[in-house]
Amino acid sequence: MSLAPRQQNILDLVRERGYVSIEELAQHFAVTPQTIRRDINQLAESGLLRRYHGGAAHDSSVENTAYTMRAGQMRDEKRRIAEAVAAQVPDHASLFINIGTTTEAIAHALLNHRSLKIITNNLHVANILSAKEDFEVLIAGGSVRSDGGVVGQATADFIKQFKVDYALVGISGIDEDGTLLDFNYQEVRVSQAIFENARKVFLAADSSKFGRSAMIRLGSLEQIDVLFTESQPDEAFTRLLSQFKVRLEIA
């Protein structure tokens, strides 16, 4: 495909940074947001980048976007999803919360709850929720990553000691056949232990996760009780949710 100079520069910036917002690109190239949206649409239709609400990203099936980039992506959508998840969690409940920027938003949304017991392998989640005196927060041991995630066999073994009311989980990608995907096999082993030891599993996934590729198989939508997202999935995903009897909550 022959690209216009601005489109090539957009592609180079997105590949370099992982994610760039429409506002940033419009300012950088001194054009309107509408012009940038047209460029992004053309690049996305050619499979050169991935279009998101408010920006564009370069997705890889073998490496996740950097944490700082993920934290800035779809922030308002994650907040809405987090509030919807928190609204379904009663006071005095026990919870698993795994790694991810969406689950960190959920942690903030839970701060108005009372007497929660939380087991997590996310240092950011532990830091947010430990501020509440009536919460009990247990942090799993293991190897600490730069994004605050704790992973490894010791982490999975710690999780397996518990049986909790709810697992509040995020995911990197959901394949078209309903497979839940992630990038790190150690993280996946911990998330699998979380799925297996919760009475109900709530999956929080913004619309960018539908159809996104990642190379490690975590599980299936069939293991999920409720899926929280911010917009209606396409018809194929909606059929899958119905087939697997997953309740859909649109934030």
Side-chain angles (χ1 to χ4, degrees):
M1 176 185 176
S2 178
L3 299 178
R6 185 180 60 244
Q7 290 177 329
Q8 184 61 58
N9 289 335
I10 289 171
L11 192 58
D12 291 342
L13 275 173
V14 171
R15 285 174 173 169
E16 176 187 341
R17 300 186 192 178
Y19 173 86
V20 188
S21 72
I22 288 171
E23 285 187 9
E24 288 178 290
L25 290 169
Q27 291 176 4
H28 181 84
F29 293 105
V31 296
T32 65
Q34 290 77 12
T35 297
I36 294 297
R37 286 192 186 93
R38 283 195 296 270
D39 287 336
I40 288 173
N41 286 339
Q42 291 176 17
L43 291 167
E45 287 165 5
S46 301
L48 297 173
L49 51 68
R50 205 147 178 250
R51 182 177 56 238
Y52 287 87
H53 177 73
H58 173 65
D59 282 344
S60 165
S61 66
V62 298
E63 184 178 7
N64 203 358
T65 310
Y67 174 79
T68 52
M69 297 294 179
R70 284 184 280 129
Q73 291 177 17
M74 304 189 77
R75 188 172 294 171
D76 183 60
E77 290 83 354
K78 290 174 183 176
R79 178 189 55 78
R80 285 159 45 199
I81 291 167
E83 290 173 354
V85 172
Q88 298 290 326
V89 175
D91 293 334
H92 308 282
S94 56
L95 314 171
F96 287 135
I97 303 180
N98 75 345
I99 299 169
T101 55
T102 304
T103 51
E104 290 164 20
I106 292 170
H108 283 291
L110 288 170
L111 288 173
N112 290 325
H113 281 57
R114 294 182 298 168
S115 300
L116 298 179
K117 294 186 184 295
I118 304 105
I119 300 114
T120 185
N121 64 322
N122 185 328
L123 294 181
H124 299 299
V125 165
N127 184 57
I128 293 163
L129 294 176
S130 61
K132 281 291 296 284
E133 290 185 2
D134 62 331
F135 286 5
E136 181 180 353
V137 181
L138 301 177
I139 185 78
S143 299
V144 181
R145 304 190 316 202
S146 60
D147 64 354
V150 182
V151 296
Q153 185 58 50
T155 318
D157 289 344
F158 181 83
I159 294 295
K160 290 175 184 177
Q161 297 179 84
F162 302 93
K163 187 76 174 182
V164 304
D165 299 323
Y166 300 92
L168 312 182
V169 297
I171 194 70
S172 292
I174 307 173
D175 200 41
E176 293 176 356
D177 64 359
T179 302
L180 305 177
L181 301 168
D182 227 313
F183 291 93
N184 182 287
Y185 77 93
Q186 290 185 317
E187 179 178 347
V188 162
R189 290 177 72 180
V190 177
S191 292
Q192 287 170 339
I194 286 173
F195 277 39
E196 291 164 5
N197 291 282
R199 295 180 180 89
K200 288 191 176 181
V201 180
F202 288 177
L203 177 62
D206 64 66
S207 55
S208 72
K209 306 299 173 64
F210 291 92
R212 186 185 182 202
S213 295
M215 66 178 290
I216 312 294
R217 183 190 298 268
L218 190 159
S220 167
L221 276 175
E222 196 170 6
Q223 297 169 269
I224 304 303
D225 293 287
V226 188
L227 171 65
F228 296 82
T229 190
E230 90 288 352
S231 62
Q232 180 69 40
D234 66 25
E235 186 177 342
F237 278 114
T238 302
R239 281 199 304 268
L240 275 179
L241 294 172
S242 177
Q243 174 187 334
F244 292 141
K245 297 180 172 57
V246 180
R247 193 173 94 234
L248 177 64
E249 292 283 344
I250 306 294

Short mmCIF file of all heavy atoms in Angstrom, two decimals, residues 50 61 71 73 86 111 121 154 167-168 182 194 196 199-200 215 238 244 250:
data_model
loop_
_atom_site.label_atom_id
_atom_site.label_comp_id
_atom_site.label_asym_id
_atom_site.label_seq_id
_atom_site.Cartn_x
_atom_site.Cartn_y
_atom_site.Cartn_z
N ARG A 50 -4.48 -0.45 14.68
CA ARG A 50 -5.79 -0.76 15.24
C ARG A 50 -6.46 0.53 15.69
O ARG A 50 -5.85 1.34 16.38
CB ARG A 50 -5.65 -1.71 16.43
CG ARG A 50 -6.90 -2.50 16.63
CD ARG A 50 -6.65 -3.90 17.16
NE ARG A 50 -7.95 -4.50 17.34
CZ ARG A 50 -8.50 -4.77 18.49
NH1 ARG A 50 -7.85 -4.63 19.59
NH2 ARG A 50 -9.73 -5.24 18.54
N SER A 61 0.75 -9.69 18.72
CA SER A 61 0.25 -10.88 19.39
C SER A 61 1.25 -11.47 20.36
O SER A 61 0.93 -12.40 21.11
CB SER A 61 -0.15 -11.94 18.36
OG SER A 61 0.99 -12.41 17.68
N ALA A 71 -2.35 2.48 30.49
CA ALA A 71 -3.03 3.27 31.53
C ALA A 71 -3.75 4.47 30.94
O ALA A 71 -4.76 4.93 31.49
CB ALA A 71 -2.01 3.71 32.57
N GLN A 73 -5.03 4.56 27.75
CA GLN A 73 -5.98 4.17 26.72
C GLN A 73 -7.39 4.01 27.30
O GLN A 73 -7.58 3.39 28.32
CB GLN A 73 -5.55 2.85 26.07
CG GLN A 73 -4.31 2.94 25.24
CD GLN A 73 -3.88 1.59 24.69
OE1 GLN A 73 -4.66 0.64 24.67
NE2 GLN A 73 -2.64 1.48 24.26
N ALA A 86 -18.43 -2.51 40.06
CA ALA A 86 -18.55 -2.24 41.49
C ALA A 86 -20.00 -2.26 41.95
O ALA A 86 -20.30 -2.70 43.07
CB ALA A 86 -17.90 -0.90 41.82
N LEU A 111 -14.09 1.76 46.47
CA LEU A 111 -13.71 2.42 47.72
C LEU A 111 -14.90 2.86 48.56
O LEU A 111 -14.74 3.16 49.75
CB LEU A 111 -12.79 3.61 47.43
CG LEU A 111 -11.37 3.23 46.99
CD1 LEU A 111 -10.59 4.47 46.55
CD2 LEU A 111 -10.64 2.50 48.10
N ASN A 121 -2.97 -10.01 43.03
CA ASN A 121 -1.57 -10.07 42.60
C ASN A 121 -1.19 -8.81 41.86
O ASN A 121 -0.30 -8.81 41.01
CB ASN A 121 -1.32 -11.31 41.73
CG ASN A 121 -2.10 -11.29 40.43
OD1 ASN A 121 -3.25 -10.85 40.38
ND2 ASN A 121 -1.48 -11.79 39.36
N ALA A 154 4.56 -19.48 42.79
CA ALA A 154 4.22 -19.17 44.17
C ALA A 154 2.94 -18.34 44.24
O ALA A 154 2.14 -18.49 45.16
CB ALA A 154 5.37 -18.43 44.85
N ALA A 167 -14.51 -13.14 41.38
CA ALA A 167 -13.25 -12.78 40.72
C ALA A 167 -13.54 -11.61 39.79
O ALA A 167 -14.44 -11.69 38.94
CB ALA A 167 -12.70 -13.95 39.93
N LEU A 168 -12.81 -10.52 39.97
CA LEU A 168 -12.94 -9.34 39.12
C LEU A 168 -11.68 -9.29 38.26
O LEU A 168 -10.59 -9.01 38.75
CB LEU A 168 -13.07 -8.07 39.96
CG LEU A 168 -14.09 -8.13 41.11
CD1 LEU A 168 -14.15 -6.80 41.84
CD2 LEU A 168 -15.47 -8.55 40.61
N ASP A 182 -3.95 -13.83 26.63
CA ASP A 182 -3.04 -12.91 27.31
C ASP A 182 -1.62 -13.11 26.78
O ASP A 182 -1.39 -13.97 25.92
CB ASP A 182 -3.09 -13.09 28.83
CG ASP A 182 -3.20 -11.75 29.55
OD1 ASP A 182 -2.41 -10.84 29.20
OD2 ASP A 182 -4.06 -11.60 30.42
N ILE A 194 -7.28 -18.06 39.65
CA ILE A 194 -8.34 -17.15 40.09
C ILE A 194 -9.70 -17.62 39.57
O ILE A 194 -10.69 -17.67 40.31
CB ILE A 194 -8.02 -15.71 39.64
CG1 ILE A 194 -6.88 -15.13 40.50
CG2 ILE A 194 -9.25 -14.82 39.67
CD1 ILE A 194 -6.37 -13.78 40.04
N GLU A 196 -10.62 -20.59 38.74
CA GLU A 196 -11.01 -21.88 39.31
C GLU A 196 -11.46 -21.78 40.76
O GLU A 196 -12.12 -22.70 41.26
CB GLU A 196 -9.82 -22.85 39.21
CG GLU A 196 -9.51 -23.26 37.77
CD GLU A 196 -8.13 -23.89 37.65
OE1 GLU A 196 -7.46 -24.09 38.70
OE2 GLU A 196 -7.70 -24.17 36.51
N ARG A 199 -16.52 -18.21 43.04
CA ARG A 199 -17.88 -18.68 42.80
C ARG A 199 -18.50 -18.00 41.57
O ARG A 199 -19.30 -18.59 40.86
CB ARG A 199 -18.74 -18.44 44.04
CG ARG A 199 -18.26 -19.27 45.24
CD ARG A 199 -19.10 -19.05 46.48
NE ARG A 199 -18.60 -19.87 47.58
CZ ARG A 199 -17.66 -19.47 48.44
NH1 ARG A 199 -17.14 -18.24 48.34
NH2 ARG A 199 -17.24 -20.27 49.39
N LYS A 200 -18.15 -16.74 41.35
CA LYS A 200 -18.61 -16.02 40.17
C LYS A 200 -17.43 -15.26 39.58
O LYS A 200 -16.60 -14.70 40.32
CB LYS A 200 -19.74 -15.04 40.50
CG LYS A 200 -21.06 -15.73 40.82
CD LYS A 200 -22.20 -14.73 40.88
CE LYS A 200 -23.53 -15.44 41.10
NZ LYS A 200 -24.65 -14.49 41.14
N MET A 215 -0.90 -14.35 22.38
CA MET A 215 -0.50 -15.71 22.02
C MET A 215 -0.76 -16.77 23.09
O MET A 215 -0.66 -17.97 22.82
CB MET A 215 0.99 -15.74 21.64
CG MET A 215 1.93 -15.42 22.77
SD MET A 215 3.67 -15.52 22.26
CE MET A 215 3.88 -17.28 22.01
N THR A 238 -21.93 -11.35 20.27
CA THR A 238 -23.20 -11.41 20.99
C THR A 238 -23.77 -12.83 20.95
O THR A 238 -24.29 -13.33 21.95
CB THR A 238 -24.20 -10.41 20.39
OG1 THR A 238 -23.65 -9.08 20.46
CG2 THR A 238 -25.51 -10.44 21.16
N PHE A 244 -22.83 -19.25 25.40
CA PHE A 244 -22.15 -19.63 26.63
C PHE A 244 -22.90 -19.17 27.89
O PHE A 244 -22.42 -19.34 29.01
CB PHE A 244 -20.73 -19.04 26.65
CG PHE A 244 -19.81 -19.65 25.63
CD1 PHE A 244 -18.91 -18.84 24.94
CD2 PHE A 244 -19.85 -20.99 25.34
CE1 PHE A 244 -18.05 -19.38 24.00
CE2 PHE A 244 -18.98 -21.54 24.40
CZ PHE A 244 -18.08 -20.74 23.72
N ILE A 250 -23.72 -3.54 29.73
CA ILE A 250 -23.16 -2.41 29.00
C ILE A 250 -23.08 -1.20 29.92
O ILE A 250 -24.10 -0.75 30.45
CB ILE A 250 -24.01 -2.04 27.77
CG1 ILE A 250 -24.23 -3.28 26.87
CG2 ILE A 250 -23.36 -0.92 26.98
CD1 ILE A 250 -22.99 -3.82 26.23
#
